[in-house]
Amino acid sequence: MMASGESKTFGFGRPRLGAQQALGLLLLVYFALVLGWPISSVIASGFQTAKGSWTLAYLSLILRDPLLLRGLLKAFAISLATTFTAVAIALPLAVLSVKFEFRAKRWLSAMTLLPMVLPPFVGALGMRMLLSRFGPLTLLIDSDSALGIDWLGQLRTLGVVVTEALGLYPIVLLNLQASLANLDPDGERAARNLGASKWQLFRRITLPLLRPGLFAGSTLVLIWSFTELGTPLMFQVHDVAPVQLYMRMSEIDSPLPHALVTVMLFASVLLYALGRLLLGRSNAAQATKAVRVSVPQTLQGARALAAALPFVVVVMLSLLPHVAVVLTSLSKTGAWYHSILPRQFTTVHYEKALQDPLIMPSWTAQHQSFGAIANSILYASAATLFGSAIALVAAFLIVRSKLRWRSLIDTLSMMPLAVPGLVLAFGYLSISVHFKHRWGAQTPAFLDAQQWPVGLLIVAYAARRLPYVVRSAVAGLEQTPVVLEHAAQNLGSGKARTWLKVTLPLLTAHLLAGALLAFTFALLEVSDSLLLAQTSEFYPITKAIWELSQRPGDGAYVASALGTWAMLLLGSSLLAVGALLNRKLGTLFRA
């Protein structure tokens, strides 16, 4: 029989149902503001006339415009090619890393995650140098430089696909590794006993069971690549939808850009649904975890070398953009041309970066700014603190509450992974312009993207990176036995004291890992930064890298120096996150 008061409370984290509902409603309001409002604003602006009536004229105009239609189709083709390439890279590595044990496997597996320390947008800086008409790659193919392959001309789209695939395949790899680790070895053993070959075993048993992980990873890559702005912009591929939208920023008052964003949003939802249909279907076998852990097969000698070779090749290829960025930052201006390596090295670009008003604080009469580095740290820190508070409440409601609609909170928390960042950023910009037209000079500062975009950037960063903190906090709560909270309260501890002394300390590692991951990725957010930061005094790191890369002379070299700093920062942060989460990064990248 239930003790008095026990029906109303179930230890800390399961407060009274009224309090749970109030917190849940507040979260729904938050999601409506940061997700629903910008998305609905874009859709409404793209389908409404000046008089407020609904129309399909702007959508029809996009579909009848050969340039815009070509941009959509090309973005779709790039995303498909990138996804297939990323899966082709990740699938064999996942099988080898989970099914087999060989010397240096742990070290090689860690190296395959290195592309995550630099977004494809920044890696494109290095790839541009490698793929220049008489750059290192061309010289390796034809040492006399007679061939002069025009990688950045006719083949620049291929450069976008390669750069994005080499930067995004770790997302697929992490999800496939997690799925493989959960497979029941008894199913494969039964298939072998019935005479199935290794290929039949993989095709008929293993691959179908991998569909949930394949869906989670490939869907993220597909949508990310479809709406990727930075990489094609850096490669000067201007005939793809995201770049066409960026080039039309001056037409923000026109319904046409809004209609284009709406089409991209619907296309992303369609891509997600197709991926769910083709890869996300589950059956009873997929829904259960392995009863016993599969023991990896130990390889020796030539077989071990053969298993390690794909890792070595992929690591070498994936490191090319990173190495090229570092070498460009250390190369004297113009000294890396018609040569495999720079002919002269210097650190002057790092010194110039420390003096550049776009990067470091500048308080002259012409330019007053904290600089891109300080701006990014400020935006990312505020967004992380704000997002962590939201994530902690969401995690408690998802794991501990009795709300019937807690699964809705879980779904909304993960939605930013499926909604393109370009769509959200344009939505925030659309809201800013709307209030600017309505209120003029009376527009609140935090809603004015031209005068003071700090508020919009912080909200955008927090919304985009919320899933990482929520997933991490949920994982921590699921591993925290509620009986410990019950025991503390039975000993006379109040709810607040139980939370401070019991629950929060047990959550610290997971919450810190998620917050650190959100912070580091917010530092290098591309779409929000390029669209929302419109004046130089508010530029974050990624917008400064883009602006510097377009500067004649040493611009690309100084931008590479800034990219190298960003790479070191993000790399060290990811190592810390891996240590805190015991290398279980895959759970943070599931759609």
Side-chain angles (χ1 to χ4, degrees):
M1 190 171 180
M2 194 171 291
S4 176
E6 195 174 351
S7 60
K8 296 182 179 180
T9 182
F10 293 82
F12 181 80
R14 290 187 177 177
R16 297 175 185 271
L17 187 58
Q20 295 176 12
Q21 291 175 336
L23 289 174
L25 289 175
L26 286 176
L27 278 182
L28 292 182
V29 171
Y30 167 78
F31 289 127
L33 290 176
V34 303
L35 295 178
W37 191 10
I39 293 173
S40 62
S41 176
V42 168
I43 295 175
S45 299
F47 287 90
Q48 280 187 330
T49 64
K51 296 181 179 180
S53 60
W54 290 89
T55 179
L56 296 177
Y58 308 121
L59 176 62
S60 176
L61 183 61
I62 289 176
L63 298 179
R64 287 188 285 111
D65 188 321
L67 293 179
L68 295 178
L69 186 58
R70 171 183 168 83
L72 288 168
L73 294 176
K74 190 169 184 177
F76 176 67
I78 288 176
S79 66
L80 279 181
T82 299
T83 303
F84 280 121
T85 305
V87 171
I89 294 172
L91 183 56
L93 296 184
V95 173
L96 289 172
S97 63
V98 175
K99 297 293 185 181
F100 301 99
E101 190 70 44
F102 50 90
R103 182 172 296 181
K105 187 190 80 170
R106 180 168 298 180
W107 181 79
L108 290 171
S109 296
M111 293 287 287
T112 59
L113 302 182
L114 283 178
M116 295 179 65
V117 308
L118 198 66
F121 163 71
V122 182
L125 271 174
M127 291 298 287
R128 274 173 46 181
M129 185 63 71
L130 289 174
L131 299 175
S132 59
R133 191 171 183 85
F134 298 103
L137 185 58
T138 304
L139 292 177
L140 287 174
I141 296 175
D142 179 16
S143 59
D144 295 329
S145 299
L147 188 60
I149 299 176
D150 192 10
W151 298 104
L152 299 181
Q154 297 178 349
L155 300 177
R156 67 177 65 187
T157 302
L158 178 62
V160 173
V161 172
V162 171
T163 302
E164 290 184 1
L166 289 177
L168 299 177
Y169 81 85
I171 297 176
V172 184
L173 177 61
L174 287 168
N175 281 276
L176 288 176
Q177 286 175 331
S179 294
L180 276 171
N182 286 329
L183 294 186
D184 194 335
D186 289 338
E188 297 180 345
R189 184 175 295 107
R192 285 196 299 268
N193 292 337
L194 292 174
S197 64
K198 291 183 178 180
W199 169 244
Q200 290 175 324
L201 176 65
F202 176 77
R203 184 173 61 89
R204 302 290 295 275
I205 304 295
T206 305
L207 192 57
L209 293 174
L210 286 180
R211 282 196 301 213
L214 189 60
F215 164 75
S218 61
T219 301
L220 291 179
V221 173
L222 189 69
I223 296 176
W224 189 328
S225 179
F226 178 68
T227 58
E228 170 69 11
L229 171 62
T231 305
L233 193 62
M234 194 68 76
F235 273 97
Q236 297 181 350
V237 179
H238 295 159
D239 57 343
V240 293
V243 179
Q244 288 174 335
L245 178 65
Y246 181 75
M247 295 300 181
R248 290 176 176 265
M249 290 301 298
S250 60
E251 306 174 23
I252 187 65
D253 293 334
S254 169
L256 190 62
H258 294 82
L260 181 58
V261 175
T262 302
V263 171
M264 295 182 65
L265 174 61
F266 288 163
S268 299
V269 173
L270 180 61
L271 291 176
Y272 181 88
L274 287 175
R276 188 78 175 180
L277 178 65
L278 298 175
L279 299 174
R281 290 174 297 178
S282 61
N283 51 38
Q286 290 171 316
T288 58
K289 281 192 174 185
V291 177
R292 294 186 299 105
V293 178
S294 179
V295 179
Q297 179 183 350
T298 301
L299 302 179
Q300 300 288 343
R303 297 181 68 188
L305 290 176
L309 183 60
F311 289 87
V312 175
V313 172
V314 170
V315 167
M316 290 179 63
L317 290 175
S318 62
L319 282 179
L320 278 177
H322 304 70
V323 173
V325 168
V326 175
L327 288 177
T328 302
S329 69
L330 294 172
S331 171
K332 189 175 181 180
T333 304
W336 199 6
Y337 188 70
H338 278 283
S339 61
I340 301 297
L341 293 173
R343 293 185 298 274
Q344 291 180 291
F345 291 91
T346 181
T347 59
V348 69
H349 304 305
Y350 289 91
E351 298 172 7
K352 288 183 178 180
L354 293 174
Q355 302 169 0
D356 196 291
L358 278 180
I359 302 175
M360 302 304 292
S362 174
W363 301 103
T364 64
Q366 296 78 17
H367 189 270
Q368 298 182 1
S369 169
F370 287 104
I373 294 178
N375 285 341
S376 284
I377 293 175
L378 170 64
Y379 304 157
S381 299
T384 301
L385 290 174
F386 178 56
S388 296
I390 298 295
L392 192 57
V393 175
F396 269 109
L397 292 179
I398 292 169
V399 179
R400 292 284 197 260
S401 79
K402 291 292 186 179
L403 292 178
R404 294 181 178 180
W405 36 278
R406 61 181 182 273
S407 59
L408 175 62
I409 295 176
D410 194 8
T411 301
L412 292 174
S413 299
M414 295 298 104
M415 187 175 290
L417 290 178
V419 176
L422 187 67
V423 174
L424 284 180
F426 196 86
Y428 293 131
L429 189 61
S430 175
I431 292 172
S432 173
V433 172
H434 172 76
F435 278 102
K436 188 74 174 178
H437 286 169
R438 185 172 182 178
W439 292 344
Q442 304 300 319
T443 303
F446 67 91
L447 286 176
D448 193 338
Q450 292 181 333
Q451 299 298 322
W452 202 76
V454 175
L456 289 176
L457 282 167
I458 291 174
V459 171
Y461 286 0
R464 290 278 291 141
R465 303 308 169 190
L466 178 67
Y468 303 145
V469 194
V470 171
R471 275 298 125 225
S472 187
V474 166
L477 273 178
E478 289 176 341
Q479 296 176 17
T480 303
V482 71
V483 293
L484 296 179
E485 299 166 0
H486 292 168
Q489 290 198 0
N490 288 337
L491 292 174
S493 177
K495 294 180 180 179
R497 184 177 177 83
T498 300
W499 182 74
L500 290 174
K501 296 295 185 179
V502 178
T503 310
L504 190 59
L506 294 174
L507 277 180
T508 299
H510 284 80
L511 191 61
L512 181 60
L516 189 57
L517 193 66
F519 173 80
T520 51
F521 277 104
L523 281 177
L524 296 178
E525 177 64 42
V526 177
S527 297
D528 295 325
S529 301
L530 293 181
L531 291 178
L532 296 177
Q534 300 182 21
T535 51
S536 60
E537 60 264 33
F538 299 111
Y539 281 177
I541 289 176
T542 44
K543 188 63 175 280
I545 289 175
W546 164 244
E547 292 294 332
L548 288 170
S549 70
Q550 303 306 299
R551 190 172 72 186
D554 64 348
Y557 299 87
V558 179
S560 296
L562 182 56
T564 302
W565 284 343
M567 178 174 61
L568 293 174
L569 174 62
L570 187 53
S572 58
S573 298
L574 285 178
L575 288 176
V577 172
L580 289 170
L581 288 182
N582 195 24
R583 300 185 180 87
K584 295 178 181 178
L585 282 174
T587 58
L588 301 180
F589 291 91
R590 293 195 172 191

